[in-house]
Amino acid sequence: MIRQRLLTLGSGNSSTNSLYSFRYFTSSSYLCDKATIGGSLGSESNRTHYSSEKETHFGYETVSEQEKAHKVKAVFENVAKTYDIMNDVMSIGIHRVWKDIFIQRLGPGNRTKLIDVAGGTEFSTNQRPENEVEAMQQAASESNPQPPKTYENTLTRSVLVCDINPKMLDVGKERSKTILTHCQRNRIDWMEGDAENLPTIPDNSFDAYTIAFGIRNCVHVDKVLEEAYRIIRPGGRFMCLEFSHVTNPAVKWAYDQYSFQMIPVMGQIIAGDWDSYQYLVESIRKFPNQEEFKSMIEQVGFRFTSYEDLSFGVATIHTGFKI
């Protein structure tokens, strides 16, 4: 598509398409305990504890790890209902194209077993793929447009959607009822869980792990990557779509002006929330650049890592394989 070619101008390393063959996932044993406001998850021995003394960043603000967990939770509770509308407005709809490209690079097979972490609100109110879950369902359906109507066929192309914020999941569940058929909804499981610690998911459980525009909001990015490596099967693939760093000076100047001068204003007008969108803009600048994040992915054990810049690096697709 022409618009996809335009968006990949100025791209860096490119990912390699990959097809997977999986079996349907559905098991109540994967359902996690409710996450508490402090970012804790699961039993006492398995909870993620955020320090009240160790410092980190919340946008440009220096805060304790515990305070960041509280603040991030509050941000997404505030924006849950207007999240998809704001994404469309802020990116002029381009975020949908980025996600289409993301799924094309993944190349899901017709029996895909995938976990989508930081799944967010998931589904748009229209029929276009809103994110990796719906796009994966559509891509897999298109590869087999008229599959046999058997019970076994309904047990394929499964996705586990995981998010720490129950309000974001609630919005996603409701929207899925207007977008997907009953059969399609049965292929999706929803789990409230912390990306840094997923104790109820066994090692080597999934062939693909996706996280889109979520990892920069986590307190310990390295722990998210370690947990991703643990639950991916050998031969499986990690894929991350995240805002990144623009290197072209002219594009960077225009992008910075738009980000700092316009996005918080739009957040206030549309969502009644300036601060959350000011954090969004700042959090992007604090996230590691493309090479730094690629190195972090390699440090936890992933191999054949690469990245692909979209829209001059406004967003970047990172990928790696567990060997």
Side-chain angles (χ1 to χ4, degrees), residues 214-264:
I215 199 166
R216 76 180 186 285
N217 298 306
C218 298
V219 178
H220 305 109
V221 174
D222 56 338
K223 290 185 179 179
V224 176
L225 294 173
E226 289 171 0
E227 193 71 339
Y229 188 83
R230 181 184 69 80
I231 66 176
I232 295 174
R233 293 173 179 167
R237 190 176 190 181
F238 168 83
M239 289 193 68
C240 175
L241 174 62
E242 187 54 85
F243 290 113
S244 198
H245 293 255
V246 177
T247 57
N248 180 290
V251 177
K252 183 179 185 301
W253 181 88
Y255 177 51
D256 285 345
Q257 294 302 307
Y258 174 75
S259 297
F260 287 98
Q261 302 300 324
M262 295 298 296
I263 288 179

Side-chain angles (χ1 to χ4, degrees), residues 161-280:
V161 180
C162 176
D163 199 294
I164 196 172
N165 195 300
K167 288 192 176 181
M168 297 288 279
L169 288 174
D170 288 343
V171 173
K173 289 176 186 177
E174 286 302 310
R175 289 185 178 175
S176 71
K177 295 176 183 178
T178 66
I179 295 297
L180 300 180
T181 66
H182 176 73
C183 179
Q184 289 171 326
R185 291 198 303 274
N186 283 343
R187 296 172 186 168
I188 300 174
D189 285 321
W190 306 80
M191 183 183 84
E192 187 179 332
D194 188 339
E196 297 185 20
N197 188 19
L198 300 168
T200 60
I201 299 181
D203 296 353
N204 307 318
S205 292
F206 294 94
D207 292 80
Y209 176 115
T210 60
I211 181 167
F213 303 119
I215 199 166
R216 76 180 186 285
N217 298 306
C218 298
V219 178
H220 305 109
V221 174
D222 56 338
K223 290 185 179 179
V224 176
L225 294 173
E226 289 171 0
E227 193 71 339
Y229 188 83
R230 181 184 69 80
I231 66 176
I232 295 174
R233 293 173 179 167
R237 190 176 190 181
F238 168 83
M239 289 193 68
C240 175
L241 174 62
E242 187 54 85
F243 290 113
S244 198
H245 293 255
V246 177
T247 57
N248 180 290
V251 177
K252 183 179 185 301
W253 181 88
Y255 177 51
D256 285 345
Q257 294 302 307
Y258 174 75
S259 297
F260 287 98
Q261 302 300 324
M262 295 298 296
I263 288 179
V265 175
M266 288 189 288
Q268 182 63 43
I269 294 172
I270 297 172
D273 189 343
W274 179 294
D275 291 343
S276 293
Y277 289 94
Q278 182 70 33
Y279 160 73
L280 166 68

Side-chain angles (χ1 to χ4, degrees), residues 13 58 62 65 68 72 77 89 98-99 104 112-113 140 170 177 230 246-247 288 290 305 310 314-315 323:
N13 298 332
F58 177 78
T62 300
E65 292 181 349
K68 178 172 181 175
V72 169
E77 285 181 345
V89 172
W98 292 338
K99 292 168 184 174
Q104 288 177 9
T112 298
K113 185 172 179 181
D170 288 343
K177 295 176 183 178
R230 181 184 69 80
V246 177
T247 57
Q290 289 89 323
T305 58
L310 306 177
V314 173
I323 304 303

Side-chain angles (χ1 to χ4, degrees), residues 44-56:
E44 185 65 32
S45 61
N46 289 322
R47 286 181 178 176
T48 300
H49 292 283
Y50 298 123
S51 172
S52 60
E53 297 179 355
K54 292 182 180 179
E55 291 185 339
T56 185

